[in-house]
Amino acid sequence: MNFKALRAFRLIVSQGSLAAAAEAMNLSQPAVSRLISLLEAETGLRLFDRSRRSLIVSAAGEQFHRETRHILDGIEELPHIAANIRTGTDNPLRLVTGPRVGAALVAPALALMRRENPDVKCVVDVLSRFELENRSGIARYDLGIASLPVTHSLLPIENTPVCNVRMEAVLATDHPHARKAALTADDLAQEPIIGMQPNHFGRQQTDEFFRSGGVSPRYAIETTSSYLAAQMARDGAGIALMDRLSVAALDPRGMAVRPLDPPHWLLYGYIAPKGQIMTKDAETFLNCLHRYIEDFRASSDDNAACVQPH
């Protein structure tokens, strides 16, 4: 498949017009239009609805972009990879992670790493769970930090556990349940729950807790952001479920956090393509990650009970 045509498609979608894509590629608009026609012929898809003045992404084009975005983004990296090889520039440490895990683990571990290694360079890609699982098999990265397991339909991914983290209920400090030492599935069954959208990894974890308690949750609000869910819970819109490390990255003012009973755990760890040799910077980062977790556990007996290293 023609890489230039794929790049033209990506630019039209991301920049919103054929003219902008042509300018970015230093090509004429008719030349870019021919590339799109070539891509449509190769894929057998009508990627755009054409009017006299513009190209509008079709439903098939939207789906094609959504499901190939990780590949299209990788194409943009090729010139940078070649330039680094030509100039002998050291490659930065490349991490992939999700929004919640990035704030809970990657940010503090990188801060520790940078304090001790101020010359280290790093690129952190924050991806949705869908993007993480699809991109992890083909993208150029050193480590992925995520909730485990992470799988790829075609390529083997090595999953290495780092710690188990206890799930907790997040609610407003004036909520009646805030007076309890711990909350059961029965306690939460009739409460409005703020959860992730269906098929999201975090939603699966929440559903598993309620299922183990023999009750069905009442989702009042569904979102794609666990941190937004926690903030809405703090503001009194309902109750959200989140793990201890992620809660620690939030502003605690106005927020009550109560453990779940019985305990429910998330597994955090790192991923890499199977057989990939770990770089020195990756090893240093993992050392900092483990040290941050140990420091977090040492800060209180409660934190030590809620975070169990592997």
Side-chain angles (χ1 to χ4, degrees):
M1 192 166 288
N2 189 298
F3 277 9
K4 185 175 286 189
L6 286 169
R7 183 165 184 254
F9 171 73
R10 177 185 182 278
L11 286 168
I12 292 173
V13 174
S14 63
Q15 300 198 19
S17 73
L18 179 68
E23 182 177 355
M25 297 181 72
N26 197 26
L27 295 173
S28 68
Q29 292 187 39
V32 174
S33 182
R34 287 194 293 272
L35 287 172
I36 295 302
S37 296
L38 172 63
L39 183 60
E40 289 181 322
E42 288 184 323
T43 60
L45 300 172
R46 183 168 58 84
L47 301 172
F48 293 95
D49 294 324
R50 290 163 170 79
S51 70
R52 296 178 64 182
R53 293 182 177 271
S54 62
L55 294 178
I56 306 299
V57 184
S58 67
E62 289 180 357
Q63 184 176 355
F64 182 76
H65 180 263
R66 184 169 58 250
E67 297 187 11
T68 63
R69 181 177 175 182
H70 56 290
I71 300 172
L72 300 175
D73 288 345
I75 290 174
E76 293 299 312
E77 295 183 10
L78 293 177
H80 303 293
I81 294 171
N84 286 341
I85 293 172
R86 286 195 306 270
T87 60
T89 304
D90 291 336
N91 289 323
L93 172 66
R94 300 192 68 93
L95 303 176
V96 293
T97 190
R100 188 184 76 248
V101 186
L105 285 176
V106 175
L110 268 182
L112 177 58
M113 184 178 180
R114 286 277 303 156
R115 284 196 296 271
E116 298 177 352
N117 303 270
D119 293 330
V120 72
K121 296 181 180 179
C122 184
V123 175
V124 183
D125 285 332
V126 180
L127 309 173
S128 69
R129 184 72 186 192
F130 175 82
E131 291 172 325
L132 180 66
E133 292 189 338
N134 281 274
R135 188 174 177 183
S136 62
I138 61 171
R140 185 173 65 95
Y141 68 99
D142 296 298
L143 293 170
I145 313 300
S147 302
L148 303 184
V150 176
T151 61
H152 190 275
S153 58
L154 298 176
L155 299 173
I157 303 296
E158 290 186 348
N159 286 241
T160 304
V162 170
C163 60
N164 284 307
V165 187
R166 189 169 177 173
M167 295 284 289
E168 299 177 308
V170 178
L171 58 164
T173 53
D174 59 356
H175 193 287
H177 282 330
R179 295 191 291 269
K180 298 182 178 181
L183 298 178
T184 67
D186 284 335
D187 290 330
L188 299 176
Q190 300 305 315
E191 296 292 333
I193 301 299
I194 306 171
M196 306 304 290
Q197 292 181 356
N199 300 319
H200 191 282
F201 187 80
R203 174 65 169 266
Q204 296 169 18
Q205 298 296 318
T206 303
D207 285 346
E208 185 179 313
F209 168 72
F210 284 106
R211 189 163 49 248
S212 67
V215 300
S216 297
R218 182 166 65 91
Y219 287 105
I221 301 174
E222 296 175 334
T223 179
T224 58
S225 169
S226 55
Y227 277 120
L228 179 61
Q231 290 168 359
M232 288 189 287
R234 180 192 61 194
D235 294 339
I239 297 177
L241 272 60
M242 184 174 279
D243 67 272
R244 169 58 64 95
L245 285 171
S246 296
V247 167
L250 293 168
D251 182 350
R253 290 174 295 182
M255 177 186 297
V257 181
R258 297 295 179 266
L260 302 179
D261 183 23
H264 191 74
W265 301 85
L266 279 182
L267 177 61
Y268 280 151
Y270 61 92
I271 63 171
K274 189 174 180 62
Q276 176 171 285
I277 298 174
M278 189 173 296
T279 66
K280 181 179 179 181
D281 283 345
E283 291 177 350
T284 302
F285 172 81
L286 288 177
N287 176 267
C288 292
L289 178 65
H290 287 291
R291 287 164 54 197
Y292 167 71
I293 292 170
E294 286 304 314
D295 289 345
F296 184 85
R297 297 182 73 248
S299 63
S300 73
D301 291 341
D302 194 33
N303 282 346
C306 290
V307 180
Q308 298 181 348
H310 268 257

